[in-house]
Amino acid sequence: MSTSGMRDYLDGPHKAARDVVRARLGAHGELADLAVRLPRDEYRDKVLELLLESAADGLPARGYPKEYGGEGDLGGFIAGFETLAFGDLSLMVKAGVQFGLFAGAILHLGTEKHHERYLAEAVSGRLLGCFAMTETGHGSNVQALGTTATYDEATGEFVVHTPTQEARKDYIGNAARHGRMAAVFAQLVVGGESHGVHCLLVPIRADDGTPLPGVTLSDCGPKLGLNGVDNGRIVFDQVRVPRDALLDRYAQVDADGNYTSGIENPDRRFFTMLGTLVQGRVSVGGAAINASKVALAIAIRYGDQRRQFGAPGSAEETVLLDYRMHQRRLLPLLARTYALHFAQAELVEEFARVFNDDRDEHDRRALEAQAAGTKALGTWHATETIQMCREACGGAGYLAENRLATLKADTDVFTTFEGDNTVLLQLVAKGLLTDYRESFGKLDPLSTARFVAAQAVEIAVEKAALRPVIERLRDAVPNRSDAADPDAGLRDDAYHSGLLRFREEHMLSGVARRLKAGIDAGDEPFEVFNRCQDHVIAAGRAHVDRVVLEAFQAAVQDAPEEIRQRLQDLYDLHALATIEAERAWYLEHGRLSGGRSKAITALVNELCAAVRPAAVELVDAFGVPGSAVEVPMVVPSQHE
């Protein structure tokens, strides 16, 4: 297998954007230990310095319109951003706040006057900003934010105010030290009437760094990780901003205090505004997958060198990665990382298509669900993978100098950053049940349950095509009586897809039936949904598991011949390890015999042995810069 050929295939159409970031990270050999070496304020200022260097390299400009100094390449922008995760993750998060969230809010929620005045400044880093959405009392439930922006017709200004402690803006990146302006999400009140959450640009610091009148800024203090990001809290006390501070792409307020919007339904307007900011979830998921690559590169290289014990009577100890259990710990995670990489690549291309072509609401909602699901699985995968890599490296993995400790701390928040994963999977399942119908309304459990009841839930079952699937699976999937040849077809792509599709569609129809039965029995809709919530989330995860599997299938089919067999082995390992992890469910539902379940486990073992000789080459193909993985416990790879 050619390592360079595999790397080129993984990099895909955005190789140039990735290589620019790799070169910058490679030039800073100290990036891997900034969090350990520097005091907090120095660390934050160093991260800012690196942020401005990345802006000078053109990283953020890739994603913005050419008329504001950009390149109009959304896919390249996200690919470059993901690659920052190979280095210091505080830099990656700060770049996400500045170039993805703050500048992204100006681009997607603002109009030409905002673009002309602020966009080039934000993209260059000359105007450092915050994304002030989360509040102490409200995280995922953005519609219930407490901050208010009340229009004063007499002065033509909005008055931004924090009415309670719960409405304080919290965990806001760039707020504690560097930010000068905030994109503030607040309840817009015009003429005494609330029009829901809108976004306004509010200055928070003077050029000398002091807070502006009416703005109270404080530091969130030390965190579990990401201490190079200056997370802070913001409180507004009757802060006045001009009328054109409102980012008014979707709603306008004229000088006389008349509120208008081209989207009459307030719920639809709210979700349209939030949908334009899906880039954050796309980027965080990709960054988490790349952090997993770093951990695996360190642990697999270490496992290929470190020796421990050996055969009785032998003078030579055995390399760790030659032990079956060590392979079992790391190689299925390596295979899943490849799977998630290809699923993320599909998502990035779809994101670029939807936003470049200004697709309709249905396509945007589908993209939101795809981004939510991929982000959830990618960030959970990072948490699991980095922990397993730490364990697989023993005491050496616990030392800060070997980077796994910092990776573990810095990525932990990703599972709740840009949306709690359990909430995101609920969004995925909601989309599956409703096909993003306009009449579905809010995302809250009450609206979900009412809609499902009103739609005679059989529609969802019909969409799932459950009965035809069962018919197809009679041939594709063995049941309890199919024990004659338990090994037959285990490496068949259609077999893998059939099992995962059956699980997804069976769970989906089960959720629909439970919701309808509860409503028909006269139970309160909220309680009905609450009883089914675990089932809903499981259905969402089953769907994303299938999407990831089929993305990997497509990547193998499209791969150059020189690397296809190696990818096929990885794909089969991922597919069968995924099925193995849920074999109890498949046994309960008659989709696996006991013999076939055992055969799957045996084949996973065989595939681990097949992948093991190329394991170091497979992590080298990720293209992680040497300074990020050549930690003290690992000598440089001979494959680079």
Side-chain angles (χ1 to χ4, degrees):
M1 181 194 80
S2 165
T3 298
S4 62
M6 184 70 82
R7 181 179 300 182
D8 288 346
Y9 189 58
L10 289 172
D11 281 350
H14 306 299
K15 176 176 174 56
R18 299 180 196 277
D19 282 345
V20 168
V21 178
R22 284 188 181 113
R24 171 62 66 182
L25 296 178
H28 285 282
E30 80 277 12
L31 281 181
D33 67 349
L34 287 178
V36 177
R37 187 166 47 83
L38 297 178
R40 189 182 66 180
D41 285 347
E42 289 183 33
Y43 181 23
R44 289 173 169 181
D45 290 344
K46 180 64 176 179
V47 168
L48 175 60
E49 176 188 327
L50 295 168
L51 178 85
L52 297 177
E53 287 182 11
S54 73
D57 285 341
L59 168 63
R62 285 184 179 273
Y64 286 88
K66 294 180 180 179
E67 56 265 38
Y68 303 108
E71 298 179 23
D73 179 11
L74 283 173
F77 170 73
I78 294 177
F81 176 83
E82 293 172 355
T83 308
L84 281 175
F86 287 158
D88 183 90
L89 285 164
S90 285
L91 171 60
M92 185 275 298
V93 170
K94 195 173 184 75
V97 170
Q98 174 67 28
F99 304 131
L101 295 176
F102 176 63
I106 296 171
L107 175 64
H108 295 300
L109 300 180
T111 48
E112 186 174 355
K113 61 180 178 288
H114 303 108
H115 301 163
E116 291 285 350
R117 183 173 179 183
Y118 298 113
L119 201 52
E121 294 286 299
V123 171
S124 67
R126 292 188 297 270
L127 173 61
L128 296 173
C130 310
F131 187 78
M133 177 182 282
T134 300
E135 295 179 354
T136 302
H138 292 98
S140 297
N141 189 8
V142 178
Q143 273 187 298
L145 294 178
T147 301
T148 57
T150 305
Y151 185 64
D152 182 350
E153 186 179 332
T155 62
E157 297 172 314
F158 285 102
V159 182
V160 180
H161 186 60
T162 305
T164 66
Q165 182 74 3
E166 288 73 23
R168 175 187 64 182
K169 296 298 179 182
D170 214 343
Y171 317 114
I172 308 302
N174 267 354
R177 190 169 178 87
H178 297 137
R180 287 169 40 210
M181 177 175 281
V184 178
F185 288 79
Q187 301 289 345
L188 195 72
V189 181
V190 181
E193 180 182 356
S194 178
H195 294 279
V197 173
H198 292 63
C199 186
L200 303 91
L201 295 178
V202 182
I204 59 172
R205 273 192 180 86
D207 290 342
D208 63 2
T210 58
L212 290 171
V215 178
T216 301
L217 303 172
S218 57
D219 199 313
C220 288
K223 307 183 293 288
L224 177 63
L226 298 176
N227 283 300
V229 181
D230 53 324
N231 291 93
R233 302 182 175 102
I234 311 175
V235 174
F236 301 101
D237 183 10
Q238 309 292 339
V239 174
R240 289 179 173 268
V241 294
R243 181 169 56 90
D244 63 6
L246 175 68
L247 296 178
D248 58 353
R249 178 178 178 182
Y250 296 105
Q252 301 79 38
V253 177
D254 67 18
D256 296 327
N258 298 308
Y259 175 92
T260 57
S261 174
I263 305 174
E264 293 185 7
N265 184 290
D267 292 327
R268 183 182 166 203
R269 182 169 60 243
F270 170 76
F271 289 115
T272 299
M273 286 192 288
L274 257 61
T276 63
L277 304 174
V278 70
Q279 179 175 309
R281 283 179 188 157
V282 175
S283 300
V284 168
I289 295 164
N290 274 5
S292 301
K293 295 174 186 176
V294 176
L296 284 164
I298 293 170
I300 286 176
R301 288 180 176 187
Y302 180 73
D304 191 55
Q305 299 168 9
R306 178 77 155 84
R307 293 178 178 275
Q308 188 76 283
F309 303 110
S314 172
E316 187 174 38
E317 293 185 301
T318 300
V319 172
L320 288 180
L321 204 53
D322 287 341
Y323 285 106
R324 172 57 50 77
M325 197 58 219
H326 210 77
Q327 295 170 12
R328 267 285 192 162
R329 296 167 97 180
L330 296 178
L331 300 187
L333 293 173
L334 174 63
R336 196 194 310 167
T337 301
Y338 267 76
L340 286 163
H341 172 95
F342 291 120
Q344 174 71 9
E346 282 192 357
L347 173 62
V348 169
E349 294 310 303
E350 181 62 16
F351 171 81
R353 282 193 295 271
V354 167
F355 277 84
N356 284 333
D357 299 342
D358 197 22
R359 299 289 185 87
D360 61 23
E361 183 180 354
H362 179 275
D363 286 343
R364 286 177 179 260
R365 289 292 176 91
L367 173 67
E368 289 171 36
Q370 186 180 356
T374 305
K375 183 267 179 183
L377 261 63
T379 54
W380 271 328
H381 173 69
T383 297
E384 178 185 359
T385 299
I386 294 167
Q387 174 63 25
M388 186 58 73
C389 288
R390 207 294 300 159
E391 292 181 26
C393 292
Y398 200 64
L399 295 176
E401 67 178 3
N402 288 321
R403 217 189 155 196
L404 291 171
T406 302
L407 278 173
K408 182 177 168 63
D410 285 350
T411 58
D412 191 75
V413 75
F414 285 11
T415 58
T416 49
F417 186 40
E418 286 293 325
D420 182 283
N421 285 352
T422 55
V423 176
L424 295 183
L425 287 183
Q426 183 173 299
L427 170 64
V428 172
K430 173 256 183 180
L432 295 172
L433 283 166
T434 67
D435 198 26
Y436 307 99
R437 293 173 184 255
E438 280 188 16
S439 56
F440 190 72
K442 298 180 180 179
L443 285 175
D444 64 84
L446 180 62
S447 297
T448 303
R450 281 178 175 164
F451 179 84
V452 172
Q455 290 297 308
V457 169
E458 288 81 8
I459 294 174
V461 179
E462 195 72 25
K463 285 178 186 285
L466 184 60
R467 287 182 291 279
V469 167
I470 292 175
E471 295 296 324
R472 292 197 303 271
L473 289 177
R474 286 178 179 170
D475 295 326
V477 183
N479 58 32
R480 281 186 291 262
S481 63
D482 296 325
D485 185 6
D487 296 331
L490 284 182
R491 296 190 69 167
D492 183 351
D493 291 2
Y495 174 70
H496 306 147
S497 293
L499 276 176
L500 266 66
R501 280 186 176 273
F502 174 78
R503 176 172 161 80
E504 172 190 348
E505 291 159 353
H506 189 283
M507 284 189 162
L508 179 62
S509 65
V511 168
R513 289 194 303 271
R514 286 183 65 189
L515 289 169
K516 185 173 188 299
I519 297 295
D520 289 348
D523 295 340
E524 285 293 324
F526 183 91
E527 291 303 320
V528 172
F529 186 87
N530 197 37
R531 290 199 299 265
C532 298
Q533 197 169 26
D534 58 333
H535 197 162
V536 169
I537 291 165
R541 173 143 196 172
H543 167 76
V544 185
D545 280 338
R546 192 264 303 167
V547 169
V548 170
L549 178 95
E550 293 182 352
F552 204 170
Q553 285 181 351
V556 174
Q557 292 165 8
D558 294 341
E561 186 174 353
E562 64 170 306
I563 63 172
R564 189 177 301 143
Q565 186 55 54
R566 185 59 68 196
L567 278 178
Q568 184 68 54
D569 288 342
L570 276 174
Y571 162 78
D572 287 336
L573 176 55
H574 168 70
L576 291 168
T578 300
I579 294 167
E580 182 188 39
E582 302 295 344
R583 58 184 172 175
W585 188 93
Y586 288 114
L587 284 163
E588 286 176 353
H589 292 81
R591 294 296 100 190
L592 284 182
S593 65
R596 172 138 308 203
S597 176
K598 293 176 181 177
I600 288 173
T601 294
L603 186 50
V604 168
N605 286 338
E606 291 177 22
L607 287 165
C608 284
V611 168
R612 188 270 176 265
V616 173
E617 293 179 20
L618 287 167
V619 294
D620 286 352
F622 292 145
V624 183
S627 60
V629 289
E630 288 167 7
V631 295
M633 70 177 180
V634 180
V635 299
S637 169
Q638 62 181 334
H639 300 286
E640 287 202 310

